Amino acid sequence: MVLKVTKILAFQTLSGIYSAREFVWWYNGHPDYSSLKPDLKSSDTAVILGQGNVALDVARILLRPTTELASTDIARHALSALEESSIRKVFLVGRRGPVQAALTAKELREVLGIKNMHIRIKETDLSVTPADEVEMKNSRIRKRIYELLSKAAAAAGTSESDPDQRELHFVFFRQPDRFLESNERKGHVSGVNLEKTILESAGSGKQLAVGTGEFEDLNCSLVLKAIGYKSVPINGLPFDHKKGVVPNVRGRVVSQTLESLSQTEPGLYVCGWLKRGPVGIIATNLYCAEETVGSISEDIEEGVFKSSKEGSKGLMQLLEKREVKKVDYSGWEKIDAKEKQMGTERNKPREKLVTWEDLLAAAAAN
Ligand code: NAP
């Protein structure tokens, strides 16, 4: 086991391997990643590890016609690179089966609807076990996803093949073992070694992937890792390492006192993935934030804050003292207006500003 981990880590530095987060930040114009330059031209194949909605997001960017992407708010540098991309086949690799794919129906339908794209799913991967049936009976989402994938696989089997079309392969029951290095291009990835898996019951209706010891290679020149997220602890704050969250009650941070776990820290709140773990769509975050804001409002009304904290004035003073460059709401509005105006000129909802200098300059403009 120690050997295996060492082997994987040793190849982490191969070029052509990116986390989905880096790739998403690149095409969305995040200033820290706008110069990423992912390798889109070395072959026609990309592998995405993981079968969640982030994996689907990046597959969609790689496969959707650039004529359609041009009218979205994608960053200009990403659109130019994608216009020259040679990627035509994308493999979405999941360690479990189609019943367990961590997708939601709306997002899957969007990807399945990409023009001129062929879906490939092995028929044998679509056969379900009694345990799968139970999972589908207990979850409408799981059943819907399975039905959508089965329908897409059946439709693909009967469509005409077109040499220019793109392919999206759903690869089930495979877990990554190690990355392969190219013989021709030293230091560059040439594929992923995958271990076949089977599902074993983990109790309460859950099935987990277990390696079978059988391996196979999947060749590619681009790998995107989309296997989820985990929050990191913040100095001085309690942290549940297993769940990757700051323990809280409706957003109120639970104090470190072990004897009374439900005792909360007055004036300290958390929301988002740090509060509930790395799951959920945008609407989930809205409800999550509303709950935390509700707790803050209740505490203000009930006079919970005993200490005389300075509030936003104190925060501004601290930021000044630490020489942190900050953008206030009116600065954000100026950035928003500038991006929208630049977008209008190019027939897009917005053209993103992709450097810190440009963002700060727009925020400071009169
Ligand atoms: P996710 O939903 O947790 O999916 C992670 C995927 O990676 C799963 O297929 C998981 O398989 C796999 N995985 C995890 N660890 C692995 C390992 N060690 N080896 C192999 N595979 C592994 O994560 P995500 O896609 O990053 O999404 C995070 C959250 O954001 C989700 O709730 C998602 O729905 C949400 N999101 C929403 C939208 C949207 O609303 N449009 C867009 C993007 C993201 P297992 O299931 O076997 O663990």
Side-chain angles (χ1 to χ4, degrees):
M1 188 60 198
V2 171
L3 241 184
K4 189 165 137 186
V5 171
T6 315
K7 196 163 59 174
I8 293 173
L9 291 179
F11 283 94
Q12 287 288 345
T13 52
L14 292 178
S15 60
I17 303 171
Y18 309 90
S19 71
R21 178 181 56 85
E22 292 172 319
F23 190 75
V24 170
W25 283 6
W26 169 72
Y27 70 70
N28 276 331
H30 189 300
D32 287 346
Y33 285 86
S34 45
S35 56
L36 185 70
K37 297 192 177 55
D39 181 355
L40 302 176
K41 292 207 270 192
S42 293
S43 82
D44 65 353
T45 306
V47 167
I48 301 173
L49 300 174
Q51 288 181 335
N53 280 332
V54 169
L56 272 190
D57 279 347
V58 295
R60 185 175 49 198
I61 293 295
L62 289 170
L63 292 170
R64 202 170 155 194
T66 47
T67 45
E68 289 182 14
L69 287 176
S71 58
T72 70
D73 65 358
I74 190 168
R76 200 165 10 155
H77 59 253
L79 182 64
S80 308
L82 288 159
E83 281 168 349
E84 292 179 10
S85 165
S86 58
I87 302 292
R88 294 289 176 275
K89 296 177 198 167
V90 172
F91 290 78
L92 274 183
V93 179
R95 59 183 169 178
R96 299 193 287 160
V99 174
Q100 294 79 27
L103 310 170
T104 46
K106 180 174 162 282
E107 284 63 35
L108 178 57
R109 269 198 301 266
E110 269 176 35
V111 169
L112 296 179
I114 291 176
K115 272 191 211 141
N116 205 23
M117 189 187 71
H118 217 97
I119 301 292
R120 305 266 190 215
I121 303 175
K122 275 194 214 152
E123 218 181 304
T124 46
D125 285 349
L126 288 166
S127 58
V128 289
T129 63
D132 290 334
E133 297 279 8
V134 172
E135 277 199 56
M136 285 195 278
K137 204 167 150 239
N138 292 335
S139 161
R140 223 160 55 91
I141 291 192
R142 301 277 60 87
K143 186 163 187 281
R144 188 77 196 111
I145 295 299
Y146 175 78
E147 286 168 353
L148 283 170
L149 290 170
S150 303
K151 208 170 137 198
T158 55
S159 71
E160 298 278 316
S161 99
D162 167 353
D164 192 40
Q165 81 184 352
R166 322 253 163 147
E167 293 175 12
L168 177 58
H169 297 243
F170 284 85
V171 178
F172 295 104
F173 305 108
R174 299 288 185 278
Q175 62 188 7
D177 182 60
R178 64 190 171 95
F179 300 117
L180 308 169
E181 184 176 6
S182 165
N183 286 330
E184 294 80 41
R185 287 176 68 199
K186 283 286 162 214
H188 196 91
V189 71
S190 66
V192 188
N193 182 248
L194 301 171
E195 182 177 19
K196 296 184 186 178
T197 61
I198 50 168
L199 298 189
E200 273 185 8
S201 167
S204 47
K206 200 168 178 205
Q207 302 184 78
L208 292 182
V210 179
T212 60
E214 258 188 275
F215 297 85
E216 65 186 19
D217 291 344
L218 181 52
N219 296 332
C220 65
S221 56
L222 175 71
V223 177
L224 297 169
K225 297 175 288 178
I227 60 168
Y229 295 80
K230 194 164 184 192
S231 296
V232 289
I234 294 176
N235 222 352
L237 273 192
F239 195 72
D240 180 331
H241 287 269
K242 199 161 168 222
K243 294 185 186 152
V245 299
V246 169
N248 67 91
V249 179
R250 297 178 63 80
R252 295 178 179 94
V253 173
V254 166
S255 72
Q256 275 162 307
T257 327
L258 289 175
E259 300 85 55
S260 55
L261 257 183
S262 61
Q263 191 186 323
T264 54
E265 289 273 354
L268 201 52
Y269 304 89
V270 64
C271 74
W273 285 3
L274 195 56
K275 170 182 169 188
R276 52 171 221 280
V279 287
I281 57 174
I282 289 172
T284 324
N285 287 307
L286 293 179
Y287 292 122
C288 173
E290 255 175 27
E291 186 186 69
T292 299
V293 170
S295 295
I296 297 172
S297 305
E298 273 171 33
D299 290 354
I300 290 173
E301 271 172 36
E302 285 168 23
V304 168
F305 308 116
K306 293 202 178 59
S307 63
S308 54
K309 289 193 175 143
E310 297 263 1
S312 62
K313 203 171 131 219
L315 174 66
M316 289 304 154
Q317 282 167 358
L318 187 68
L319 293 176
E320 292 285 342
K321 202 170 126 199
R322 293 188 182 171
E323 296 180 3
V324 174
K325 288 183 182 140
K326 57 189 187 308
V327 173
D328 59 14
Y329 185 60
S330 74
W332 177 85
E333 284 182 318
K334 287 179 198 164
I335 293 172
D336 187 45
K338 168 109 183 155
E339 288 189 343
K340 282 182 176 157
Q341 177 224 325
M342 285 162 56
T344 312
E345 291 157 17
R346 296 182 176 90
N347 221 8
K348 318 168 62 170
R350 72 173 63 238
E351 184 63 65
K352 304 229 179 99
L353 296 168
V354 300
T355 66
W356 292 118
E357 293 75 28
D358 287 349
L359 286 162
L360 290 168
N366 289 319

